[in-house]
Amino acid sequence: KQEVTQIPAALSVPEGENLVLNCSFTDSAIYNLQWFRQDPGKGLTSLLLIQSSQREQTSGRLNASLDKSSGRSTLYIAASQPGDSATYLCAVGVSGNTPLVFGKGTRLSVIA
Amino acid sequence: GAVVSQHPSRVICKSGTSVKIECRSLDFQATTMFWYRQFPKKSLMLMATSNEGSKATYEQGVEKDKFLINHASLTLSTLTVTSAHPEDSSFYICSARQANTEAFFGQGTRLTVV
């Protein structure tokens, strides 16, 4: 059974710092991996999608990497801003049409 | 990106009544949608998989008679919380995957049962 773990559970950094959020999964046979952002009381916003054949994806200040063999993904946020404060969720797709398996998230606070 | 619209965003109902939550994929067809429940400061808990034209598949421990799911078309799934009780108060979120790849989520529905 696929399990997804995110470390750390919470992180507080000063504005402007670069930071890395970690995600690990137990079964390397994944279909894809997705990073989401969730603001309090809101739904999930898709940030980056990495297909199983890809190593990384970039969008603006965000870069996500995927190492299937070691069961790891990282989300790199450059030059963090207070507006980046949110919970970041990593989720693994086991196949094309099954529900994603979620980690418990990392709660990020960027202090001005 | 694709949009999944969920309605209502907030609802308050009396104990014993039923509440219907709608989830629509606005610009793509979704043969499968997923319903999640989220407790405060917790991650998402999958409740059921909604299949267009057939019965939903419920996760272990989720009462199918209490959480009725209907997926009548390729763009609409509904979750009805029947005979709601205060313990059903929660944040409910739906999701659909576009072309079996990227997953998109609705805005969520905050249900409060008084």
Side-chain angles (χ1 to χ4, degrees), chain A residues 31-32 34 36 38 41-44 46 49 95-100 102-104, chain B residues 31-32 34 36 38 43-44 46 49 91 93 97 100-103 105-107 110:
Chain A
Y31 186 81
N32 57 23
Q34 213 166 336
F36 295 90
Q38 185 177 30
K42 304 292 184 183
L44 276 65
S46 179
L49 168 71
S95 68
N97 206 29
T98 53
L100 298 178
F102 280 87
K104 294 185 177 180
Chain B
T31 55
T32 304
F34 307 100
Y36 296 83
Q38 188 175 33
S43 190
L44 282 72
L46 178 69
T49 300
F91 192 60
I93 312 178
R97 293 181 77 171
N100 291 343
T101 55
E102 188 167 6
F105 284 76
Q107 306 94 316
R110 170 73 58 195

PDB file of all heavy atoms in Angstrom, chain A residues 31-32 34 36 38 41-44 46 49 95-100 102-104, chain B residues 31-32 34 36 38 43-44 46 49 91 93 97 100-103 105-107 110:
ATOM      1  N   TYR A  31       2.473   6.663 -11.028  1.00  0.00           N
ATOM      2  CA  TYR A  31       2.025   7.163 -12.327  1.00  0.00           C
ATOM      3  C   TYR A  31       2.444   8.620 -12.498  1.00  0.00           C
ATOM      4  O   TYR A  31       2.891   9.033 -13.555  1.00  0.00           O
ATOM      5  CB  TYR A  31       0.505   7.017 -12.399  1.00  0.00           C
ATOM      6  CG  TYR A  31      -0.117   7.345 -13.721  1.00  0.00           C
ATOM      7  CD1 TYR A  31      -0.119   6.414 -14.756  1.00  0.00           C
ATOM      8  CD2 TYR A  31      -0.727   8.577 -13.941  1.00  0.00           C
ATOM      9  CE1 TYR A  31      -0.708   6.709 -15.971  1.00  0.00           C
ATOM     10  CE2 TYR A  31      -1.310   8.876 -15.152  1.00  0.00           C
ATOM     11  CZ  TYR A  31      -1.303   7.939 -16.165  1.00  0.00           C
ATOM     12  OH  TYR A  31      -1.886   8.238 -17.368  1.00  0.00           O
ATOM     13  N   ASN A  32       2.244   9.391 -11.432  1.00  0.00           N
ATOM     14  CA  ASN A  32       2.693  10.776 -11.418  1.00  0.00           C
ATOM     15  C   ASN A  32       2.709  11.280  -9.982  1.00  0.00           C
ATOM     16  O   ASN A  32       2.329  10.561  -9.051  1.00  0.00           O
ATOM     17  CB  ASN A  32       1.821  11.686 -12.315  1.00  0.00           C
ATOM     18  CG  ASN A  32       0.352  11.660 -11.939  1.00  0.00           C
ATOM     19  OD1 ASN A  32       0.001  11.341 -10.815  1.00  0.00           O
ATOM     20  ND2 ASN A  32      -0.508  12.000 -12.891  1.00  0.00           N
ATOM     21  N   GLN A  34       2.057  15.033  -7.691  1.00  0.00           N
ATOM     22  CA  GLN A  34       1.527  16.387  -7.793  1.00  0.00           C
ATOM     23  C   GLN A  34       1.750  17.125  -6.481  1.00  0.00           C
ATOM     24  O   GLN A  34       1.564  16.554  -5.395  1.00  0.00           O
ATOM     25  CB  GLN A  34       0.023  16.319  -8.110  1.00  0.00           C
ATOM     26  CG  GLN A  34      -0.510  17.434  -8.956  1.00  0.00           C
ATOM     27  CD  GLN A  34      -1.896  17.145  -9.524  1.00  0.00           C
ATOM     28  OE1 GLN A  34      -2.318  16.005  -9.684  1.00  0.00           O
ATOM     29  NE2 GLN A  34      -2.604  18.218  -9.835  1.00  0.00           N
ATOM     30  N   PHE A  36       0.470  20.435  -4.249  1.00  0.00           N
ATOM     31  CA  PHE A  36      -0.659  21.338  -4.110  1.00  0.00           C
ATOM     32  C   PHE A  36      -0.376  22.359  -3.019  1.00  0.00           C
ATOM     33  O   PHE A  36       0.427  22.130  -2.121  1.00  0.00           O
ATOM     34  CB  PHE A  36      -1.928  20.571  -3.702  1.00  0.00           C
ATOM     35  CG  PHE A  36      -2.428  19.608  -4.721  1.00  0.00           C
ATOM     36  CD1 PHE A  36      -1.993  18.290  -4.719  1.00  0.00           C
ATOM     37  CD2 PHE A  36      -3.350  19.999  -5.675  1.00  0.00           C
ATOM     38  CE1 PHE A  36      -2.465  17.382  -5.645  1.00  0.00           C
ATOM     39  CE2 PHE A  36      -3.835  19.097  -6.610  1.00  0.00           C
ATOM     40  CZ  PHE A  36      -3.385  17.787  -6.583  1.00  0.00           C
ATOM     41  N   GLN A  38      -2.670  24.634  -0.170  1.00  0.00           N
ATOM     42  CA  GLN A  38      -3.980  24.834   0.420  1.00  0.00           C
ATOM     43  C   GLN A  38      -3.920  25.979   1.417  1.00  0.00           C
ATOM     44  O   GLN A  38      -3.144  25.934   2.369  1.00  0.00           O
ATOM     45  CB  GLN A  38      -4.491  23.563   1.115  1.00  0.00           C
ATOM     46  CG  GLN A  38      -5.913  23.720   1.637  1.00  0.00           C
ATOM     47  CD  GLN A  38      -6.479  22.471   2.257  1.00  0.00           C
ATOM     48  OE1 GLN A  38      -5.762  21.652   2.816  1.00  0.00           O
ATOM     49  NE2 GLN A  38      -7.799  22.298   2.165  1.00  0.00           N
ATOM     50  N   GLY A  41      -9.126  26.950   5.093  1.00  0.00           N
ATOM     51  CA  GLY A  41     -10.534  26.972   4.726  1.00  0.00           C
ATOM     52  C   GLY A  41     -10.812  26.954   3.240  1.00  0.00           C
ATOM     53  O   GLY A  41     -11.948  27.195   2.816  1.00  0.00           O
ATOM     54  N   LYS A  42      -9.792  26.673   2.445  1.00  0.00           N
ATOM     55  CA  LYS A  42      -9.959  26.684   0.989  1.00  0.00           C
ATOM     56  C   LYS A  42      -9.673  25.305   0.400  1.00  0.00           C
ATOM     57  O   LYS A  42      -9.181  24.402   1.080  1.00  0.00           O
ATOM     58  CB  LYS A  42      -9.003  27.708   0.355  1.00  0.00           C
ATOM     59  CG  LYS A  42      -9.146  29.114   0.899  1.00  0.00           C
ATOM     60  CD  LYS A  42     -10.461  29.735   0.507  1.00  0.00           C
ATOM     61  CE  LYS A  42     -10.528  31.182   0.986  1.00  0.00           C
ATOM     62  NZ  LYS A  42     -11.839  31.803   0.671  1.00  0.00           N
ATOM     63  N   GLY A  43      -9.977  25.193  -0.896  1.00  0.00           N
ATOM     64  CA  GLY A  43      -9.655  23.960  -1.593  1.00  0.00           C
ATOM     65  C   GLY A  43      -8.179  23.891  -1.933  1.00  0.00           C
ATOM     66  O   GLY A  43      -7.372  24.671  -1.438  1.00  0.00           O
ATOM     67  N   LEU A  44      -7.834  22.926  -2.788  1.00  0.00           N
ATOM     68  CA  LEU A  44      -6.442  22.715  -3.166  1.00  0.00           C
ATOM     69  C   LEU A  44      -6.160  23.349  -4.529  1.00  0.00           C
ATOM     70  O   LEU A  44      -6.952  23.208  -5.459  1.00  0.00           O
ATOM     71  CB  LEU A  44      -6.119  21.230  -3.242  1.00  0.00           C
ATOM     72  CG  LEU A  44      -5.755  20.536  -1.938  1.00  0.00           C
ATOM     73  CD1 LEU A  44      -6.911  20.509  -0.972  1.00  0.00           C
ATOM     74  CD2 LEU A  44      -5.268  19.115  -2.218  1.00  0.00           C
ATOM     75  N   SER A  46      -3.492  23.249  -7.593  1.00  0.00           N
ATOM     76  CA  SER A  46      -2.410  22.465  -8.160  1.00  0.00           C
ATOM     77  C   SER A  46      -1.236  23.381  -8.506  1.00  0.00           C
ATOM     78  O   SER A  46      -1.399  24.393  -9.182  1.00  0.00           O
ATOM     79  CB  SER A  46      -2.889  21.739  -9.418  1.00  0.00           C
ATOM     80  OG  SER A  46      -1.840  20.998  -9.991  1.00  0.00           O
ATOM     81  N   LEU A  49       2.821  19.337 -11.576  1.00  0.00           N
ATOM     82  CA  LEU A  49       2.567  17.925 -11.851  1.00  0.00           C
ATOM     83  C   LEU A  49       3.812  17.346 -12.504  1.00  0.00           C
ATOM     84  O   LEU A  49       4.322  17.901 -13.473  1.00  0.00           O
ATOM     85  CB  LEU A  49       1.379  17.774 -12.791  1.00  0.00           C
ATOM     86  CG  LEU A  49       1.158  16.399 -13.410  1.00  0.00           C
ATOM     87  CD1 LEU A  49       0.674  15.414 -12.362  1.00  0.00           C
ATOM     88  CD2 LEU A  49       0.176  16.477 -14.573  1.00  0.00           C
ATOM     89  N   SER A  95      -2.169   5.258 -10.432  1.00  0.00           N
ATOM     90  CA  SER A  95      -2.506   4.969 -11.823  1.00  0.00           C
ATOM     91  C   SER A  95      -3.278   6.159 -12.368  1.00  0.00           C
ATOM     92  O   SER A  95      -3.472   7.156 -11.670  1.00  0.00           O
ATOM     93  CB  SER A  95      -3.324   3.680 -11.933  1.00  0.00           C
ATOM     94  OG  SER A  95      -4.596   3.863 -11.349  1.00  0.00           O
ATOM     95  N   GLY A  96      -3.726   6.049 -13.629  1.00  0.00           N
ATOM     96  CA  GLY A  96      -4.327   7.210 -14.268  1.00  0.00           C
ATOM     97  C   GLY A  96      -5.688   7.621 -13.754  1.00  0.00           C
ATOM     98  O   GLY A  96      -6.069   8.776 -13.891  1.00  0.00           O
ATOM     99  N   ASN A  97      -6.399   6.693 -13.158  1.00  0.00           N
ATOM    100  CA  ASN A  97      -7.778   7.032 -12.813  1.00  0.00           C
ATOM    101  C   ASN A  97      -8.138   6.659 -11.382  1.00  0.00           C
ATOM    102  O   ASN A  97      -9.309   6.456 -11.076  1.00  0.00           O
ATOM    103  CB  ASN A  97      -8.730   6.323 -13.787  1.00  0.00           C
ATOM    104  CG  ASN A  97     -10.022   7.075 -13.921  1.00  0.00           C
ATOM    105  OD1 ASN A  97     -10.068   8.291 -13.774  1.00  0.00           O
ATOM    106  ND2 ASN A  97     -11.092   6.339 -14.163  1.00  0.00           N
ATOM    107  N   THR A  98      -7.153   6.586 -10.541  1.00  0.00           N
ATOM    108  CA  THR A  98      -7.410   6.279  -9.139  1.00  0.00           C
ATOM    109  C   THR A  98      -7.163   7.526  -8.294  1.00  0.00           C
ATOM    110  O   THR A  98      -6.484   8.458  -8.738  1.00  0.00           O
ATOM    111  CB  THR A  98      -6.494   5.142  -8.653  1.00  0.00           C
ATOM    112  OG1 THR A  98      -5.142   5.484  -8.960  1.00  0.00           O
ATOM    113  CG2 THR A  98      -6.863   3.836  -9.302  1.00  0.00           C
ATOM    114  N   PRO A  99      -7.707   7.578  -7.083  1.00  0.00           N
ATOM    115  CA  PRO A  99      -7.500   8.760  -6.255  1.00  0.00           C
ATOM    116  C   PRO A  99      -6.047   8.922  -5.867  1.00  0.00           C
ATOM    117  O   PRO A  99      -5.305   7.948  -5.729  1.00  0.00           O
ATOM    118  CB  PRO A  99      -8.377   8.487  -5.028  1.00  0.00           C
ATOM    119  CG  PRO A  99      -8.561   7.015  -5.006  1.00  0.00           C
ATOM    120  CD  PRO A  99      -8.560   6.575  -6.434  1.00  0.00           C
ATOM    121  N   LEU A 100      -5.640  10.157  -5.678  1.00  0.00           N
ATOM    122  CA  LEU A 100      -4.275  10.441  -5.243  1.00  0.00           C
ATOM    123  C   LEU A 100      -4.087  10.003  -3.791  1.00  0.00           C
ATOM    124  O   LEU A 100      -5.023  10.016  -2.992  1.00  0.00           O
ATOM    125  CB  LEU A 100      -3.988  11.939  -5.358  1.00  0.00           C
ATOM    126  CG  LEU A 100      -4.067  12.544  -6.762  1.00  0.00           C
ATOM    127  CD1 LEU A 100      -3.803  14.040  -6.693  1.00  0.00           C
ATOM    128  CD2 LEU A 100      -3.086  11.871  -7.694  1.00  0.00           C
ATOM    129  N   PHE A 102      -2.250  11.112  -0.488  1.00  0.00           N
ATOM    130  CA  PHE A 102      -1.718  12.364   0.033  1.00  0.00           C
ATOM    131  C   PHE A 102      -0.797  12.171   1.217  1.00  0.00           C
ATOM    132  O   PHE A 102      -0.982  11.265   2.047  1.00  0.00           O
ATOM    133  CB  PHE A 102      -2.865  13.275   0.489  1.00  0.00           C
ATOM    134  CG  PHE A 102      -3.528  14.000  -0.631  1.00  0.00           C
ATOM    135  CD1 PHE A 102      -4.571  13.421  -1.332  1.00  0.00           C
ATOM    136  CD2 PHE A 102      -3.112  15.273  -0.986  1.00  0.00           C
ATOM    137  CE1 PHE A 102      -5.190  14.096  -2.375  1.00  0.00           C
ATOM    138  CE2 PHE A 102      -3.723  15.956  -2.027  1.00  0.00           C
ATOM    139  CZ  PHE A 102      -4.758  15.358  -2.716  1.00  0.00           C
ATOM    140  N   GLY A 103       0.184  13.063   1.321  1.00  0.00           N
ATOM    141  CA  GLY A 103       0.919  13.217   2.556  1.00  0.00           C
ATOM    142  C   GLY A 103       0.110  14.105   3.485  1.00  0.00           C
ATOM    143  O   GLY A 103      -0.947  14.638   3.105  1.00  0.00           O
ATOM    144  N   LYS A 104       0.608  14.305   4.693  1.00  0.00           N
ATOM    145  CA  LYS A 104      -0.120  15.108   5.673  1.00  0.00           C
ATOM    146  C   LYS A 104       0.148  16.598   5.532  1.00  0.00           C
ATOM    147  O   LYS A 104      -0.482  17.405   6.196  1.00  0.00           O
ATOM    148  CB  LYS A 104       0.209  14.643   7.089  1.00  0.00           C
ATOM    149  CG  LYS A 104      -0.293  13.247   7.388  1.00  0.00           C
ATOM    150  CD  LYS A 104      -0.058  12.851   8.839  1.00  0.00           C
ATOM    151  CE  LYS A 104      -0.647  11.460   9.096  1.00  0.00           C
ATOM    152  NZ  LYS A 104      -0.444  11.027  10.509  1.00  0.00           N
TER     153      LYS A 104
ATOM    154  N   THR B  31     -15.087  11.073 -16.030  1.00  0.00           N
ATOM    155  CA  THR B  31     -15.834   9.846 -15.787  1.00  0.00           C
ATOM    156  C   THR B  31     -15.727   9.429 -14.328  1.00  0.00           C
ATOM    157  O   THR B  31     -16.555   8.692 -13.824  1.00  0.00           O
ATOM    158  CB  THR B  31     -15.308   8.701 -16.668  1.00  0.00           C
ATOM    159  OG1 THR B  31     -13.904   8.555 -16.453  1.00  0.00           O
ATOM    160  CG2 THR B  31     -15.564   8.981 -18.148  1.00  0.00           C
ATOM    161  N   THR B  32     -14.706   9.919 -13.675  1.00  0.00           N
ATOM    162  CA  THR B  32     -14.498   9.597 -12.264  1.00  0.00           C
ATOM    163  C   THR B  32     -14.229  10.868 -11.479  1.00  0.00           C
ATOM    164  O   THR B  32     -13.423  11.697 -11.903  1.00  0.00           O
ATOM    165  CB  THR B  32     -13.315   8.632 -12.089  1.00  0.00           C
ATOM    166  OG1 THR B  32     -13.537   7.462 -12.877  1.00  0.00           O
ATOM    167  CG2 THR B  32     -13.153   8.227 -10.639  1.00  0.00           C
ATOM    168  N   PHE B  34     -13.780  12.236  -7.195  1.00  0.00           N
ATOM    169  CA  PHE B  34     -13.457  11.743  -5.865  1.00  0.00           C
ATOM    170  C   PHE B  34     -13.970  12.727  -4.812  1.00  0.00           C
ATOM    171  O   PHE B  34     -13.881  13.936  -4.987  1.00  0.00           O
ATOM    172  CB  PHE B  34     -11.936  11.580  -5.716  1.00  0.00           C
ATOM    173  CG  PHE B  34     -11.317  10.748  -6.800  1.00  0.00           C
ATOM    174  CD1 PHE B  34     -10.673  11.344  -7.876  1.00  0.00           C
ATOM    175  CD2 PHE B  34     -11.394   9.368  -6.759  1.00  0.00           C
ATOM    176  CE1 PHE B  34     -10.104  10.584  -8.888  1.00  0.00           C
ATOM    177  CE2 PHE B  34     -10.827   8.599  -7.771  1.00  0.00           C
ATOM    178  CZ  PHE B  34     -10.191   9.202  -8.831  1.00  0.00           C
ATOM    179  N   TYR B  36     -13.623  13.875  -0.809  1.00  0.00           N
ATOM    180  CA  TYR B  36     -12.762  13.826   0.364  1.00  0.00           C
ATOM    181  C   TYR B  36     -13.411  14.582   1.512  1.00  0.00           C
ATOM    182  O   TYR B  36     -14.214  15.493   1.319  1.00  0.00           O
ATOM    183  CB  TYR B  36     -11.401  14.488   0.073  1.00  0.00           C
ATOM    184  CG  TYR B  36     -10.550  13.808  -0.970  1.00  0.00           C
ATOM    185  CD1 TYR B  36     -10.747  14.053  -2.322  1.00  0.00           C
ATOM    186  CD2 TYR B  36      -9.527  12.936  -0.608  1.00  0.00           C
ATOM    187  CE1 TYR B  36      -9.951  13.449  -3.282  1.00  0.00           C
ATOM    188  CE2 TYR B  36      -8.722  12.330  -1.565  1.00  0.00           C
ATOM    189  CZ  TYR B  36      -8.960  12.593  -2.898  1.00  0.00           C
ATOM    190  OH  TYR B  36      -8.162  11.995  -3.848  1.00  0.00           O
ATOM    191  N   GLN B  38     -12.102  16.572   5.153  1.00  0.00           N
ATOM    192  CA  GLN B  38     -10.902  17.064   5.821  1.00  0.00           C
ATOM    193  C   GLN B  38     -11.267  17.615   7.184  1.00  0.00           C
ATOM    194  O   GLN B  38     -12.109  18.516   7.304  1.00  0.00           O
ATOM    195  CB  GLN B  38     -10.220  18.156   4.986  1.00  0.00           C
ATOM    196  CG  GLN B  38      -8.873  18.589   5.524  1.00  0.00           C
ATOM    197  CD  GLN B  38      -8.174  19.582   4.615  1.00  0.00           C
ATOM    198  OE1 GLN B  38      -8.806  20.389   3.956  1.00  0.00           O
ATOM    199  NE2 GLN B  38      -6.843  19.507   4.577  1.00  0.00           N
ATOM    200  N   SER B  43      -4.923  16.121   6.988  1.00  0.00           N
ATOM    201  CA  SER B  43      -4.904  15.968   5.540  1.00  0.00           C
ATOM    202  C   SER B  43      -6.236  15.432   5.041  1.00  0.00           C
ATOM    203  O   SER B  43      -7.165  15.201   5.815  1.00  0.00           O
ATOM    204  CB  SER B  43      -3.760  15.050   5.132  1.00  0.00           C
ATOM    205  OG  SER B  43      -3.587  15.087   3.722  1.00  0.00           O
ATOM    206  N   LEU B  44      -6.334  15.249   3.756  1.00  0.00           N
ATOM    207  CA  LEU B  44      -7.588  14.819   3.152  1.00  0.00           C
ATOM    208  C   LEU B  44      -7.821  13.326   3.373  1.00  0.00           C
ATOM    209  O   LEU B  44      -6.887  12.522   3.242  1.00  0.00           O
ATOM    210  CB  LEU B  44      -7.569  15.092   1.649  1.00  0.00           C
ATOM    211  CG  LEU B  44      -7.808  16.532   1.219  1.00  0.00           C
ATOM    212  CD1 LEU B  44      -6.621  17.403   1.533  1.00  0.00           C
ATOM    213  CD2 LEU B  44      -8.139  16.591  -0.252  1.00  0.00           C
ATOM    214  N   LEU B  46      -9.992  10.272   1.869  1.00  0.00           N
ATOM    215  CA  LEU B  46     -10.844   9.848   0.761  1.00  0.00           C
ATOM    216  C   LEU B  46     -12.096   9.172   1.301  1.00  0.00           C
ATOM    217  O   LEU B  46     -12.011   8.255   2.117  1.00  0.00           O
ATOM    218  CB  LEU B  46     -10.089   8.893  -0.164  1.00  0.00           C
ATOM    219  CG  LEU B  46     -10.876   8.342  -1.350  1.00  0.00           C
ATOM    220  CD1 LEU B  46     -11.170   9.461  -2.351  1.00  0.00           C
ATOM    221  CD2 LEU B  46     -10.097   7.221  -2.032  1.00  0.00           C
ATOM    222  N   THR B  49     -15.188   7.086  -4.367  1.00  0.00           N
ATOM    223  CA  THR B  49     -14.931   7.345  -5.781  1.00  0.00           C
ATOM    224  C   THR B  49     -16.266   7.325  -6.502  1.00  0.00           C
ATOM    225  O   THR B  49     -17.016   6.336  -6.400  1.00  0.00           O
ATOM    226  CB  THR B  49     -13.999   6.275  -6.356  1.00  0.00           C
ATOM    227  OG1 THR B  49     -12.764   6.304  -5.649  1.00  0.00           O
ATOM    228  CG2 THR B  49     -13.753   6.525  -7.836  1.00  0.00           C
ATOM    229  N   PHE B  91     -15.164  19.758   6.451  1.00  0.00           N
ATOM    230  CA  PHE B  91     -14.849  20.387   5.171  1.00  0.00           C
ATOM    231  C   PHE B  91     -14.828  19.275   4.130  1.00  0.00           C
ATOM    232  O   PHE B  91     -14.072  18.301   4.270  1.00  0.00           O
ATOM    233  CB  PHE B  91     -13.492  21.077   5.282  1.00  0.00           C
ATOM    234  CG  PHE B  91     -13.159  22.007   4.148  1.00  0.00           C
ATOM    235  CD1 PHE B  91     -13.960  23.094   3.870  1.00  0.00           C
ATOM    236  CD2 PHE B  91     -12.037  21.799   3.362  1.00  0.00           C
ATOM    237  CE1 PHE B  91     -13.656  23.968   2.832  1.00  0.00           C
ATOM    238  CE2 PHE B  91     -11.717  22.666   2.317  1.00  0.00           C
ATOM    239  CZ  PHE B  91     -12.534  23.743   2.062  1.00  0.00           C
ATOM    240  N   ILE B  93     -14.374  18.142   0.122  1.00  0.00           N
ATOM    241  CA  ILE B  93     -13.749  18.604  -1.127  1.00  0.00           C
ATOM    242  C   ILE B  93     -13.894  17.520  -2.192  1.00  0.00           C
ATOM    243  O   ILE B  93     -13.725  16.337  -1.910  1.00  0.00           O
ATOM    244  CB  ILE B  93     -12.250  18.888  -0.958  1.00  0.00           C
ATOM    245  CG1 ILE B  93     -11.970  19.728   0.271  1.00  0.00           C
ATOM    246  CG2 ILE B  93     -11.688  19.592  -2.194  1.00  0.00           C
ATOM    247  CD1 ILE B  93     -10.486  19.990   0.487  1.00  0.00           C
ATOM    248  N   ARG B  97      -9.886  14.187 -12.195  1.00  0.00           N
ATOM    249  CA  ARG B  97      -8.617  14.137 -12.917  1.00  0.00           C
ATOM    250  C   ARG B  97      -8.881  14.337 -14.397  1.00  0.00           C
ATOM    251  O   ARG B  97      -9.723  13.656 -14.982  1.00  0.00           O
ATOM    252  CB  ARG B  97      -7.912  12.806 -12.662  1.00  0.00           C
ATOM    253  CG  ARG B  97      -7.462  12.656 -11.233  1.00  0.00           C
ATOM    254  CD  ARG B  97      -6.738  11.360 -10.984  1.00  0.00           C
ATOM    255  NE  ARG B  97      -5.360  11.391 -11.489  1.00  0.00           N
ATOM    256  CZ  ARG B  97      -4.473  10.447 -11.239  1.00  0.00           C
ATOM    257  NH1 ARG B  97      -4.804   9.404 -10.522  1.00  0.00           N
ATOM    258  NH2 ARG B  97      -3.254  10.534 -11.726  1.00  0.00           N
ATOM    259  N   ASN B 100      -7.054  11.617 -17.150  1.00  0.00           N
ATOM    260  CA  ASN B 100      -6.335  10.652 -16.329  1.00  0.00           C
ATOM    261  C   ASN B 100      -4.940  11.112 -15.926  1.00  0.00           C
ATOM    262  O   ASN B 100      -4.056  10.300 -15.685  1.00  0.00           O
ATOM    263  CB  ASN B 100      -6.227   9.301 -17.055  1.00  0.00           C
ATOM    264  CG  ASN B 100      -7.567   8.621 -17.163  1.00  0.00           C
ATOM    265  OD1 ASN B 100      -8.501   8.967 -16.455  1.00  0.00           O
ATOM    266  ND2 ASN B 100      -7.657   7.668 -18.051  1.00  0.00           N
ATOM    267  N   THR B 101      -4.741  12.406 -15.869  1.00  0.00           N
ATOM    268  CA  THR B 101      -3.434  12.888 -15.442  1.00  0.00           C
ATOM    269  C   THR B 101      -3.557  13.824 -14.250  1.00  0.00           C
ATOM    270  O   THR B 101      -3.620  13.382 -13.119  1.00  0.00           O
ATOM    271  CB  THR B 101      -2.693  13.594 -16.597  1.00  0.00           C
ATOM    272  OG1 THR B 101      -3.537  14.639 -17.097  1.00  0.00           O
ATOM    273  CG2 THR B 101      -2.339  12.638 -17.693  1.00  0.00           C
ATOM    274  N   GLU B 102      -3.616  15.124 -14.526  1.00  0.00           N
ATOM    275  CA  GLU B 102      -3.590  16.083 -13.441  1.00  0.00           C
ATOM    276  C   GLU B 102      -4.920  16.117 -12.706  1.00  0.00           C
ATOM    277  O   GLU B 102      -5.985  16.090 -13.319  1.00  0.00           O
ATOM    278  CB  GLU B 102      -3.262  17.472 -14.002  1.00  0.00           C
ATOM    279  CG  GLU B 102      -3.011  18.523 -12.942  1.00  0.00           C
ATOM    280  CD  GLU B 102      -2.400  19.780 -13.517  1.00  0.00           C
ATOM    281  OE1 GLU B 102      -2.285  19.875 -14.757  1.00  0.00           O
ATOM    282  OE2 GLU B 102      -2.038  20.669 -12.728  1.00  0.00           O
ATOM    283  N   ALA B 103      -4.832  16.181 -11.391  1.00  0.00           N
ATOM    284  CA  ALA B 103      -6.026  16.248 -10.555  1.00  0.00           C
ATOM    285  C   ALA B 103      -6.319  17.697 -10.202  1.00  0.00           C
ATOM    286  O   ALA B 103      -5.419  18.464  -9.871  1.00  0.00           O
ATOM    287  CB  ALA B 103      -5.831  15.428  -9.281  1.00  0.00           C
ATOM    288  N   PHE B 105      -9.084  20.237  -7.928  1.00  0.00           N
ATOM    289  CA  PHE B 105      -9.959  20.178  -6.774  1.00  0.00           C
ATOM    290  C   PHE B 105     -10.936  21.345  -6.767  1.00  0.00           C
ATOM    291  O   PHE B 105     -10.631  22.443  -7.245  1.00  0.00           O
ATOM    292  CB  PHE B 105      -9.136  20.210  -5.482  1.00  0.00           C
ATOM    293  CG  PHE B 105      -8.468  18.902  -5.188  1.00  0.00           C
ATOM    294  CD1 PHE B 105      -7.338  18.511  -5.879  1.00  0.00           C
ATOM    295  CD2 PHE B 105      -8.990  18.053  -4.228  1.00  0.00           C
ATOM    296  CE1 PHE B 105      -6.734  17.293  -5.632  1.00  0.00           C
ATOM    297  CE2 PHE B 105      -8.387  16.827  -3.959  1.00  0.00           C
ATOM    298  CZ  PHE B 105      -7.269  16.450  -4.666  1.00  0.00           C
ATOM    299  N   GLY B 106     -12.107  21.087  -6.195  1.00  0.00           N
ATOM    300  CA  GLY B 106     -13.068  22.148  -5.974  1.00  0.00           C
ATOM    301  C   GLY B 106     -12.630  23.036  -4.821  1.00  0.00           C
ATOM    302  O   GLY B 106     -11.623  22.784  -4.161  1.00  0.00           O
ATOM    303  N   GLN B 107     -13.424  24.069  -4.602  1.00  0.00           N
ATOM    304  CA  GLN B 107     -13.081  25.039  -3.570  1.00  0.00           C
ATOM    305  C   GLN B 107     -13.400  24.530  -2.167  1.00  0.00           C
ATOM    306  O   GLN B 107     -13.018  25.146  -1.171  1.00  0.00           O
ATOM    307  CB  GLN B 107     -13.853  26.356  -3.800  1.00  0.00           C
ATOM    308  CG  GLN B 107     -13.672  26.935  -5.180  1.00  0.00           C
ATOM    309  CD  GLN B 107     -14.778  26.501  -6.132  1.00  0.00           C
ATOM    310  OE1 GLN B 107     -15.168  25.336  -6.165  1.00  0.00           O
ATOM    311  NE2 GLN B 107     -15.273  27.426  -6.927  1.00  0.00           N
ATOM    312  N   ARG B 110     -17.755  23.984   3.424  1.00  0.00           N
ATOM    313  CA  ARG B 110     -17.720  23.933   4.893  1.00  0.00           C
ATOM    314  C   ARG B 110     -19.135  23.646   5.381  1.00  0.00           C
ATOM    315  O   ARG B 110     -20.024  24.474   5.248  1.00  0.00           O
ATOM    316  CB  ARG B 110     -17.235  25.263   5.459  1.00  0.00           C
ATOM    317  CG  ARG B 110     -17.394  25.397   6.974  1.00  0.00           C
ATOM    318  CD  ARG B 110     -16.413  24.557   7.728  1.00  0.00           C
ATOM    319  NE  ARG B 110     -15.029  24.875   7.379  1.00  0.00           N
ATOM    320  CZ  ARG B 110     -14.002  24.096   7.675  1.00  0.00           C
ATOM    321  NH1 ARG B 110     -14.193  22.957   8.311  1.00  0.00           N
ATOM    322  NH2 ARG B 110     -12.778  24.446   7.349  1.00  0.00           N
TER     323      ARG B 110
END
